[in-house]
Amino acid sequence: MSSHVDFVIIGHGLAGTALAWALLRRGRSVLVIDRERGGCSRLAAGLITPITGKRLAKSWRWGELYPAAVAFYRSLEADTGTTFFHERPALRLFATEAERVRSEQRSGIAQAPDIRADWFDAPLGGFEMDAARLDVQRYLDTSREHFESRGAYLAADVGWHSSRGTGLQTGGGFTGLETGATNPNTVAPIELTADGVRLPSLSVEARALILCRGFDATADPWFGSIAFKAAKGEILTVRIPGLAEERVVHRGIWLAPAGAEVFRAGSTYAWEPLDALPTADGRAEIEARLRAFLRLPFQVIDHQAAVRPVIDAGFPALGRHPRFPQLAYFNGLGSKGSLLAPFFADQLATHLCDGGEIEPQVNVLRFL
Ligand SMILES: Cc1cc2nc3c(=O)[nH]c(=O)nc-3n(C[C@H](O)[C@H](O)[C@H](O)COP(=O)(O)OP(=O)(O)OC[C@H]3O[C@@H](n4cnc5c(N)ncnc54)[C@H](O)[C@@H]3O)c2cc1C
């Protein structure tokens, strides 16, 4: 006997989690499935920063996306009795005279007076900006606990095969999506039915299935033609005796407090190879950039890497499959998943539940 849910979500990263909440809040039932390895959300620093880059550019649609993110994370904190969203000023140190001049020309940017000269080498000064930080691990753990307590979470690997499976009536070359849950050798294809999907091995039926898989080398059969411009990123965790800075500090890279005298520093951008292996070059780059403004010695205590799911210059991609409306997609959060996920998860949930429109700029149809 199968249990029925409204939506199955593949992926418990920032995309799938925000979408699950958005659907639950609309009174729909969900099942989130994740294979619990890989993915980049658990490595992300969760920084939400209004002004980025050498040109001091305002982050895309900040005025809409940031209030949506604040409302979303704050309301979840209230509902779950947990704290994982922190609004705190961040410090940006000028790397060049051009940056400093540009900041003077921009309204709303004021020089930061309190930059400790014994900690930071910042002869050009810097400015403070209102920013936020999502404790991604805590947010995901809290969400998972909530989903699990309602039978709405499952650890399972979803894969594809090309030779078995007869249940999917796609009419194309694809023969099935398979899941290896408790026993990886036990696989069963998802079947697309007239009014939804079925996952026989998990005894689950759903109205729709949404792929929120981030960057994955194994392209799925429906949305697999979407081209990624994915970027690998590396992060160091460092111990810096004597440093008590509470703000995230930006100067070429960022340095974010992570406990007593412990900080995370990152991150790099590389376009090949797209794997999650930390490299000597990545470490050397972060260390050099850190030394460019940090006066204190540091010791590296951890080093991680992951791949950002970039599709199109920071635009997410979302919506239903043109041929199989019981399948949908939410991906492309790039390097700003904490900021983008709440707003666009809400847009996708409205679309899935009430037929609301997906903006053309982010509609997955544009990328297929
Ligand atoms: C070094 C680095 C630093 C970053 N810093 C920040 C930051 O400061 N602020 C910020 O907002 N963003 C940051 N990001 C970006 C952020 O990590 C991404 O935008 C976000 O995590 C993408 O979320 P996602 O859910 O789309 O993908 P993922 O987090 O990759 O989640 C996809 C999930 O799907 C699961 N999955 C995939 N395939 C399957 C399958 N076949 N079966 C079952 N499960 C499957 C995976 O296990 C994974 O959990 C950073 C990224 C990197 C690499």
Side-chain angles (χ1 to χ4, degrees):
M1 173 97 176
S2 285
S3 57
H4 188 94
V5 291
D6 292 321
F7 298 101
V8 167
I9 294 173
I10 309 294
H12 179 237
L14 286 168
T17 304
L19 181 63
W21 281 113
L23 291 168
L24 286 170
R25 286 174 161 203
R26 283 167 172 76
R28 303 310 201 270
S29 54
V30 301
L31 175 65
V32 179
I33 302 177
D34 197 289
R35 63 182 172 201
E36 300 188 342
R37 62 185 152 78
C40 68
S41 296
R42 285 191 176 269
L43 168 134
L47 308 183
I48 300 182
T49 314
I51 294 168
T52 54
K54 289 179 186 158
R55 305 194 63 77
L56 306 185
K58 192 90 168 177
S59 185
W60 180 64
R61 293 174 65 172
W62 178 258
E64 296 167 274
L65 302 186
Y66 186 63
V70 173
F72 173 79
Y73 295 123
R74 287 274 179 247
S75 69
L76 285 188
E77 284 183 327
D79 287 357
T80 58
T82 324
T83 303
F84 43 72
F85 186 70
H86 309 283
E87 285 183 277
R88 289 202 191 122
L91 177 63
R92 167 78 184 254
L93 303 178
F94 298 125
T96 62
E97 179 62 13
E99 276 183 19
R100 194 190 63 73
V101 171
R102 202 167 286 130
S103 81
E104 280 179 357
Q105 294 161 348
R106 296 273 301 274
S107 61
I109 297 185
Q111 288 268 335
D114 48 348
I115 300 171
R116 287 271 300 254
D118 52 336
W119 293 345
F120 303 118
D121 183 7
L124 297 169
F127 64 92
E128 231 180 45
M129 51 190 161
D130 290 333
R133 189 161 169 209
L134 176 69
D135 183 338
V136 183
Q137 290 276 0
R138 202 168 160 86
Y139 161 65
L140 292 180
D141 288 346
T142 301
S143 301
R144 183 185 153 153
E145 265 171 43
H146 181 92
F147 301 155
E148 266 176 339
S149 70
R150 283 152 183 80
Y153 181 87
L154 199 62
D157 196 356
V158 179
W160 290 267
H161 64 87
S162 54
S163 58
R164 277 180 295 164
T166 53
L168 187 66
Q169 296 105 41
T170 64
F174 168 63
T175 56
L177 169 70
E178 61 190 22
T179 62
T182 43
N183 177 357
N185 299 317
T186 308
V187 291
I190 278 186
E191 299 173 359
L192 300 196
T193 60
D195 55 357
V197 295
R198 227 179 0 233
L199 291 82
S201 67
L202 305 177
S203 304
V204 171
E205 294 179 10
R207 273 173 50 198
L209 178 143
I210 306 104
L211 294 158
C212 305
R213 300 175 52 226
F215 176 77
D216 195 289
T218 47
D220 76 76
W222 307 286
F223 297 97
S225 61
I226 294 174
F228 277 87
K229 296 169 189 155
K232 176 173 174 175
E234 302 187 37
I235 293 183
L236 298 182
T237 304
V238 292
R239 190 181 308 284
I240 311 177
L243 184 63
E245 178 63 63
E246 290 179 354
R247 297 166 292 191
V248 175
V249 182
H250 296 259
R251 191 195 177 279
I253 57 164
W254 45 259
L255 179 68
E261 298 187 338
V262 174
F263 295 79
R264 296 183 84 204
S267 49
T268 57
Y269 279 78
W271 289 266
E272 64 176 15
L274 291 174
D275 58 33
L277 300 175
T279 66
D281 283 353
R283 174 173 171 158
E285 180 183 332
I286 299 171
E287 288 188 11
R289 286 174 178 242
L290 208 46
R291 284 195 195 98
F293 69 93
L294 185 67
R295 289 193 193 276
L296 302 172
F298 59 88
Q299 175 201 352
V300 176
I301 54 180
D302 197 14
H303 184 186
Q304 296 168 294
V307 181
R308 303 172 184 88
V310 184
I311 291 177
D312 181 12
F315 298 127
L318 47 140
R320 289 184 196 265
H321 192 276
R323 196 158 155 226
F324 306 111
Q326 62 272 61
L327 298 174
Y329 191 76
F330 185 25
N331 209 323
L333 297 183
S335 55
K336 294 187 180 174
S338 317
L339 175 65
L340 298 178
F343 183 92
F344 289 104
D346 190 67
Q347 186 168 122
L348 181 56
T350 307
H351 174 71
L352 293 171
C353 297
D354 309 316
E357 242 193 85
I358 302 289
E359 296 171 43
Q361 194 175 26
V362 298
N363 197 316
V364 69
L365 300 177
R366 184 162 86 77
F367 304 100
L368 280 169

